[in-house]
Amino acid sequence: RLLCRYTTRQPEALVQVLRALMGSAHHSSLKQQSAVSDLFLTLSLRYSRVIWRNQSQSKSSHLHDLRAYLLDMLADKPQRPPVHWRYVLMANSALLFLTSPGEETPEEAAKLVSHALSMVCSELATLRPLAMQMVLMLLKYQLRTKLTSKSAFNAQLGTEEDLARGQKLLTDTVKSMLKREGFVTQMVNLLALDHTQGDGQREGTAVQQV
């Protein structure tokens, strides 16, 4: 409880805690991984949303650096072994929690959308709804800022030119992902399999053609 109360007031503290948890990915022991997962889950249940909006530049930079760290950790790099699926789930959950539309730079928002769209096609069924939630959250915010040209959102994003550049960058990123050969078909097939019927049984049918 003391840790949770402290991290709600100090973004730097939560950054260090999450970095430490993600930094334990090298542990190969199932017992150690389970203990880290339990600790992460306990910490996650204490939060429901990001609570540090409109922070000072120094505090916002801590969250920006952590998001960059998580994206780099999840990136496919041939010179290092793949991340264990437990840490893939934890890192993506942390990314979703730390995503606060309007606080990210246009470049960072585009990277987050690109990553989230790629995770929508992940083999981890638990991860796909989280990834889609991140995509929709970022796109919804961009749509709202576009429809409300003179709103409180614009003051956070800078000039109208900055807003337009961010929207174009995000749109181009999404279009580029959707144009990849077979991407849309794979995405729809996997999301169809995730569909849950009213009786609680999964009876989704893969889409044959898009």
Side-chain angles (χ1 to χ4, degrees), residues 17-143:
V17 171
L18 291 177
R19 273 183 175 271
L21 290 175
M22 297 302 108
S24 65
H26 62 278
H27 290 307
S28 58
S29 168
L30 180 59
K31 183 177 180 180
Q32 291 173 325
Q33 291 183 357
S34 297
V36 172
S37 297
D38 291 343
L39 178 57
F40 181 83
L41 179 60
T42 301
L43 186 64
S44 300
L45 293 176
R46 294 285 180 175
Y47 296 92
S48 60
R49 60 185 175 85
V50 177
I51 58 177
W52 307 296
R53 294 190 66 87
N54 301 321
Q55 291 288 330
S56 65
Q57 184 175 357
S58 60
K59 291 186 177 181
S60 297
S61 66
H62 287 284
L63 302 179
H64 170 80
D65 291 343
L66 179 56
R67 289 191 294 263
Y69 170 81
L70 293 171
L71 285 173
D72 180 73
M73 172 185 174
L74 293 168
D76 291 329
K77 295 186 177 181
Q79 66 271 25
R80 68 185 183 191
V83 180
H84 191 276
W85 66 267
R86 292 178 187 268
Y87 287 87
V88 171
L89 285 177
M90 287 192 291
N92 277 285
S93 298
L95 263 182
L96 176 60
F97 170 74
L98 294 169
T99 298
S100 181
E103 299 291 325
E104 298 85 8
T105 65
E107 291 77 14
E108 185 181 13
K111 289 180 180 179
L112 288 169
V113 166
S114 178
H115 169 76
L117 279 173
S118 65
M119 290 297 101
V120 170
C121 295
S122 169
E123 295 181 358
L124 296 174
T126 309
L127 179 56
R128 294 195 287 266
L130 295 177
M132 182 55 71
Q133 184 177 350
M134 183 186 297
V135 172
L136 295 177
M137 184 167 60
L138 289 164
L139 294 182
K140 178 182 177 181
Y141 180 83
Q142 288 294 329
L143 178 62

Side-chain angles (χ1 to χ4, degrees), residues 175-191:
K175 287 182 178 179
S176 176
M177 292 291 294
L178 295 180
K179 287 180 179 179
R180 291 184 180 181
E181 184 177 357
F183 177 82
V184 173
T185 301
Q186 182 184 16
M187 179 180 67
V188 174
N189 282 336
L190 290 172
L191 291 177

